[in-house]
Amino acid sequence: MTSRHLPRVAHRTLRASKRSGQSVRSASSFSSEPVQALLDKSNAYILPVYARPPFVLTHGKGAYVWDTQSRKYLDFSAGIAVNALGHADEGVAKVLAHEAGKLLHTSNAFHHQWSARLAELLVSLTQKAGGLGWETGSATSTSGAKIFFANSGTEANEGALKIARKVGKTRWAAQNGKEWDDPASDKFEIVCFENAFHGRSMGALSVTTNPKYQKPFAPLIPGVKVGLYNAIDQVNNLVTDKTCAVIVEPIQGEGGVHPAQVDFLRALRKRCNETGAVLIYDEIQCGLYRTGTLWAHSTFPIDCHPDMVTMAKPLANGYPIGAVLMRDSVAEVMAAGTHGTTFGGSPLACALGHHVLSRLSEPSFIAHIQETSAYLTARLSQLPEWFPEVLQPGVRGTGLILGLGFRNGEHPGKLVQMARERGVLVLTAGKDAVRFVPSLNIAREEVDVAVDVLESCLGMLITA
């Protein structure tokens, strides 16, 4: 950065501070007595598995949240891509209060009215939008796919892996004239990819190939093979007749906002067809309209489509829910007792999911996502040109799951802290990126606030 840029950076810094309504704050300014008492209580009683900043949030509205000291933050993380409709949405709050006053929980020992409705909506929208092997605009029907409801993305992935193991055993038995539970079956291997993130329970952790996450809990489940993301030439050797499942993110979120190449996904689909393996797309972070379409794979050719899709984050706007969407050819191996959950698919969770998904799928809402994401992408794309010493070329991702890559691996964490001190909350991703996953109804004006703050922080990084 040459000196001729400094006036613009200084101007942006001032403008960003004014627009966000914040002053630049140091960590020491968070240490008021009431806040410290709450932090001390958390340290005393909460398992210390999170590194949180030293302030306490109290409430939110739309794209903003406030802390106990009445400081306002633009939340450009949306609860890690969860709050699709923002904070304290009136429609969500109304459904929550109404349904909680009627039927909060039944367990899965009984039917209730909302799980079938939400499942039907998910399947019919997938048929219309394209996905899971359907052409865009397919006629709506209640056949062709099934849903299993869980409580989180991790649980959805665990369920998908379990179901795929059962499919593998069943298909092996059919080929060899054996019973599905024959111990000689060797079709149980699972293929995953470097930099993936699928969750932290033992099965999901086994396919989350980060030594930092895995090493303390080894040994993990057996039969997991790890491939290089987007390496088409490895696919045939990686996926074999022993493979029961391949799990992959169409866009790696936690791993650094890296999209899969269509030809790579096509090669996986082809090889899974050849070997009888189940292809699982983890769309927990990139699905449910975050890319501007229902699924990240909705616009891909059918020969790239999966057998199963896992989802969670935005489905109920913050109320815990997860789900597995699967083709009937996968679902047919499951029967009563082969999987279950006490809380998954509760009346309240499914009512909220139906409300949120109905709103997200409105044509006007989808158009808003596409317009806003184009504007955000255009604004972010200027930053690598203005700060080439700091940023890698280009913007990663699509829709409203975007990332900026940094040349120095220490800079993403520093930028996140600097932006937070200026009133904007963003996230790191992988080893070298900052991630932008705002609420799906984020406004253009809020995009301007966030990017102005980012630009000012980048200017501070190179002048420090």
Side-chain angles (χ1 to χ4, degrees):
M1 176 68 67
T2 62
S3 59
R4 66 186 175 88
H5 291 98
L6 294 181
R8 177 179 58 77
V9 171
H11 172 70
R12 290 283 194 178
T13 302
L14 178 61
R15 189 173 81 174
S17 296
K18 288 180 177 179
R19 292 182 69 166
S20 63
Q22 307 295 312
S23 59
V24 176
R25 301 184 292 272
S26 65
S28 62
S29 67
F30 293 129
S31 58
S32 73
E33 190 65 30
V35 173
Q36 193 58 53
L38 288 168
L39 297 178
D40 289 343
K41 186 172 293 188
S42 179
N43 291 336
Y45 296 107
I46 302 294
L47 192 68
V49 294
Y50 297 103
R52 300 182 177 105
F55 59 89
V56 179
L57 298 177
T58 59
H59 64 288
K61 186 63 180 176
Y64 292 91
V65 291
W66 285 261
D67 68 12
T68 54
Q69 295 174 284
S70 299
R71 287 179 297 220
K72 179 181 178 182
Y73 303 85
L74 173 58
D75 184 5
F76 231 65
S77 69
I80 316 183
V82 167
N83 303 116
L85 298 172
H87 297 278
D89 178 81
E90 292 180 5
V92 170
K94 183 177 180 180
V95 172
L96 194 154
H98 182 262
E99 295 301 325
K102 291 176 60 181
L103 197 61
L104 190 68
H105 173 73
T106 61
S107 86
N108 282 295
F110 304 98
H111 289 287
H112 62 80
Q113 63 178 328
W114 282 111
S115 59
R117 291 180 180 178
L118 178 55
E120 179 186 34
L121 183 60
L122 281 163
V123 172
S124 63
L125 286 174
T126 301
Q127 291 174 318
K128 291 177 182 178
L132 208 72
W134 283 301
E135 293 275 11
T136 302
S138 296
T140 302
S141 73
T142 56
S143 63
K146 297 291 187 294
I147 296 285
F148 175 82
F149 288 115
N151 300 288
S152 68
T154 295
E155 286 188 27
N157 282 337
E158 288 283 350
L161 294 173
K162 278 186 64 178
I163 294 167
R165 277 265 174 98
K166 181 69 160 55
V167 172
K169 291 175 181 292
T170 302
R171 290 178 178 174
W172 178 90
Q175 290 176 348
N176 293 276
K178 305 286 187 178
E179 296 296 322
W180 71 265
D181 58 350
D182 192 305
S185 174
D186 60 357
K187 194 171 184 63
F188 64 87
E189 291 183 350
I190 299 169
V191 168
C192 63
F193 297 92
E194 290 184 2
N195 298 317
F197 186 92
H198 299 294
R200 297 181 191 256
S201 56
M202 293 303 283
L205 181 62
S206 298
V207 292
T208 297
T209 58
N210 186 325
K212 179 177 69 173
Y213 298 147
Q214 289 187 337
K215 190 174 181 180
F217 309 103
L220 301 174
I221 67 170
V224 174
K225 296 170 66 176
V226 181
L228 185 64
Y229 195 66
N230 282 327
I232 298 173
D233 59 341
Q234 293 186 4
V235 168
N236 284 349
N237 290 331
L238 192 64
V239 182
T240 71
D241 289 334
K242 294 183 179 181
T243 306
C244 71
V246 176
I247 185 167
V248 63
E249 297 160 278
I251 302 176
Q252 290 186 333
E254 301 292 332
V257 193
H258 296 292
Q261 297 172 5
V262 170
D263 285 344
F264 172 65
L265 297 177
R266 179 179 287 112
L268 289 177
R269 174 72 274 169
K270 180 176 182 291
R271 189 60 176 157
C272 285
N273 289 344
E274 293 169 349
T275 61
V278 174
L279 181 57
I280 304 167
Y281 281 2
D282 177 342
E283 296 222 23
I284 290 163
Q285 188 159 158
C286 64
L288 296 171
Y289 296 101
R290 182 148 293 278
T291 63
T293 56
L294 175 60
W295 305 115
H297 78 273
S298 290
T299 59
F300 296 169
I302 285 180
D303 61 358
C304 300
H305 285 204
D307 300 299
M308 306 173 76
V309 182
T310 57
M311 71 197 81
K313 287 181 178 294
L315 186 53
N317 206 60
Y319 192 89
I321 189 172
V324 188
L325 169 64
M326 69 202 81
R327 301 188 193 206
D328 278 348
S329 58
V330 170
E332 65 186 12
V333 307
M334 302 298 285
T338 51
H339 195 46
T341 169
T342 297
F343 296 102
S346 72
L348 182 54
C350 290
L352 287 167
H354 192 278
H355 173 81
V356 172
L357 188 58
S358 296
R359 288 172 60 184
L360 297 184
S361 60
E362 292 175 358
S364 60
F365 196 101
I366 296 170
H368 170 82
I369 295 171
Q370 294 170 347
E371 292 168 5
T372 307
S373 65
Y375 183 67
L376 175 58
T377 301
R379 287 224 52 192
L380 289 177
S381 66
Q382 296 175 314
L383 300 182
E385 298 175 5
W386 292 342
F387 302 95
E389 304 96 324
V390 180
L391 295 174
Q392 299 173 21
V395 178
R396 300 177 186 174
T398 187
L400 288 175
I401 176 169
L402 300 171
L404 290 174
F406 284 71
R407 297 186 184 278
N408 184 331
E410 295 181 358
H411 280 166
K414 290 181 180 179
L415 185 134
V416 167
Q417 180 180 348
M418 293 170 68
R420 185 173 66 238
E421 291 170 352
R422 289 156 177 79
V424 175
L425 306 180
V426 292
L427 302 166
T428 58
K431 299 176 181 178
D432 65 351
V434 169
R435 177 178 18 158
F436 311 102
V437 284
S439 300
L440 299 183
N441 57 357
I442 197 81
R444 180 178 288 221
E445 294 77 14
E446 292 156 348
V447 168
D448 283 332
V449 171
V451 180
D452 285 350
V453 168
L454 290 171
E455 188 182 336
S456 73
C457 293
L458 290 167
M460 296 296 290
L461 275 177
I462 63 171
T463 57

